[in-house]
Amino acid sequence: MERETMTSTRYWPAADKEAGLQEAAAALAAGGVVAFPTETVYGLGADARNTAAVRRIFEAKGRPADNPLIVHVASEESLPALTERVNEIERRLIAAFWPGPLTLVLPVKPGAVSPLVTAGLDTVGIRMPDHDTALRLIAESGCPLAAPSANRSGRPSPTTAGHVLEDLEGRIDGVVDGGSTGVGLESTVVRVLGNTVHILRPGGVTPERLQAAAGPSVRVEGTASPAGGGAPAPATQDDDRPRSPGVKYTHYAPRGEMLLIAGDEPERLVEAVRLRSAEARRQGRRVGILSCSEHVSRYEGAADEVFDCGPRFSPEVAARRLYAILRECDRLGLATILAESFPEAGIGAALMNRMRKAAGGREITA
Ligand code: AMP
Ligand code: MG
């Protein structure tokens, strides 16, 4: 049984930025756990070197102990204390994307962080967030901050301070409000081995941009996002591709049954969604439709709730909105969720990876 420890959770509003930052940084330096905004999603931070503090992250989230945490730094100068070496390709990626939504898995310097952070691996994931509040908090606290997303395990990552409180009020020391996050999906996690950049988790930095920054002589290998999403990774692997322990866990799926509907031809796509919706409603189910902006008006009266995910060819908007929309689907008790697929160019790849996981791999083509 998980130990339940209730704490009173401080809330630092965006308006009191300076005072809030100082108090939050002091709490972190003293071994506290504090949620803070980044450009991807809200993180739940603790001093990465302090095992007691890091343990509280796992307890607050209900996170499995074998899923390692990403360490957040405020400057490249923090790297030598954390990792044994940074190679030429890694340097190029850092120069191109830090601060930003790219996590590099690097050989950990023994003893540099709590073994809970690395889940006992000999590597550590590190990134520098592109968010003024996050950078200030890391710098002022003087700690490298281990910080997974600030949600209960199994819930969507939080993109507002309100989402954090929904999940973690009473379980953490505080949350710094920085408004809505920008990217809305988690960072891209990569491991560079030899001449190949392996994408362990698609995210805010697109494969196209990784390739451009790494150079033409470097291979960028994506992970196929498995249908079924949460299927456990095999205990042994038949290729030499590195794996991220986190991908074996079932990701967030809404309580309603979600179905992805793909289709390049708008008329057919809309028609297929409308048909499915009518069918589900005949069975007495409450239906939500996740639509691109262009099709919203076509679904008028066709469902109990229609969500505008943003323009079809601007997947960055849907990326920003997705998690809040999924939380809303649960709040409204929607039993069937019909979601239009988005094109997979750019951040569309990460968006569809998360949507497939939410849909548990259920996907059809119109
Ligand atoms: P989250 O903290 O929820 O954004 O998840 C962090 C992701 O980064 C998970 O998928 C982890 O498995 C992955 N990760 C963190 N550290 C490492 C590492 N040392 N090696 C491989 N993957 C890592
Ligand atoms: Mg997470």
Side-chain angles (χ1 to χ4, degrees):
M1 255 316 263
E2 184 189 329
R3 189 159 54 92
E4 296 280 334
T5 335
M6 294 309 273
T7 335
S8 88
T9 301
R10 301 280 311 271
Y11 169 78
W12 291 288
D16 295 341
K17 198 169 165 207
E18 200 48 47
L21 266 173
Q22 297 303 330
E23 288 180 16
L28 285 163
V33 284
V34 170
F36 59 94
T38 78
E39 83 282 29
T40 58
V41 300
Y42 274 72
L44 180 59
D47 182 348
R49 304 162 301 192
N50 179 336
T51 291
V54 173
R55 183 172 292 123
R56 288 190 58 207
I57 293 182
F58 284 90
E59 283 172 1
K61 282 184 60 90
R63 183 177 174 106
D66 62 349
N67 194 0
L69 306 182
I70 293 169
V71 175
H72 293 65
V73 298
S75 128
E76 271 174 64
E77 284 155 35
S78 304
L79 281 175
L82 297 170
T83 184
E84 296 279 20
R85 61 189 169 275
V86 179
N87 70 30
E88 174 52 32
I89 297 173
E90 290 158 347
R91 280 188 197 290
R92 264 180 245 159
L93 297 180
I94 288 171
F97 300 113
W98 279 17
L102 180 73
T103 297
L104 288 150
V105 172
L106 298 165
V108 68
K109 194 168 237 179
V113 296
S114 161
L116 295 187
V117 169
T118 57
L121 301 171
D122 56 5
T123 54
V124 59
I126 307 178
R127 87 172 189 104
M128 189 198 303
D130 186 13
H131 194 289
D132 180 55
T133 303
L135 292 172
R136 286 284 315 278
L137 201 55
I138 300 164
E140 297 284 332
S141 68
C143 316
L145 293 183
S149 51
N151 51 285
R152 286 282 289 172
S153 267
R155 295 272 295 155
S157 296
T159 54
T160 67
H163 295 163
V164 174
L165 291 170
E166 232 170 70
D167 282 13
L168 298 176
E169 178 142 43
R171 297 176 165 272
I172 62 176
D173 295 313
V175 55
V176 181
D177 194 344
S180 289
T181 55
V183 178
L185 300 180
E186 302 82 350
S187 63
T188 304
V189 180
V190 299
R191 175 91 201 259
V192 179
L193 287 177
N195 209 31
T196 305
V197 178
H198 297 269
I199 300 177
L200 304 182
R201 174 178 76 180
V205 173
T206 66
E208 295 91 331
R209 293 178 67 208
L210 283 171
Q211 183 67 68
S217 62
V218 176
R219 276 160 59 89
V220 174
E221 282 211 342
T223 41
S225 83
T236 56
Q237 50 186 78
D238 43 21
D239 55 43
D240 57 2
R241 223 151 34 95
R243 297 220 176 171
S244 194
V247 301
K248 76 168 182 263
Y249 288 105
T250 311
H251 248 69
Y252 175 72
R255 286 194 270 280
E257 191 172 275
M258 179 160 154
L259 173 71
L260 276 175
I261 305 180
D264 294 331
E265 218 278 289
E267 295 301 318
R268 281 175 62 164
L269 175 58
V270 168
E271 205 36 48
V273 173
R274 290 183 63 103
L275 268 172
R276 290 261 168 178
S277 180
E279 207 175 285
R281 292 176 99 193
R282 268 198 304 275
Q283 295 163 15
R285 298 167 70 90
R286 281 170 54 75
V287 178
I289 294 176
L290 274 56
S291 167
C292 64
S293 304
E294 292 87 337
H295 299 165
V296 166
S297 65
R298 310 277 312 270
Y299 295 126
E300 212 172 293
D304 296 279
E305 198 71 37
V306 180
F307 298 95
D308 181 348
C309 295
R312 187 157 180 76
F313 294 99
S314 305
E316 66 279 4
V317 179
R320 212 179 296 134
R321 293 181 184 168
L322 178 68
Y323 289 141
I325 290 175
L326 293 176
R327 279 179 183 258
E328 190 63 6
C329 287
D330 278 353
R331 205 185 59 78
L332 295 169
L334 301 173
T336 295
I337 300 161
L338 302 171
E340 294 184 350
S341 293
F342 279 79
E344 300 205 31
I347 199 170
L351 171 69
M352 288 305 296
N353 168 272
R354 305 306 192 273
M355 287 182 80
R356 285 196 176 104
K357 289 183 171 182
R362 282 181 292 270
E363 188 169 10
I364 57 167
T365 303

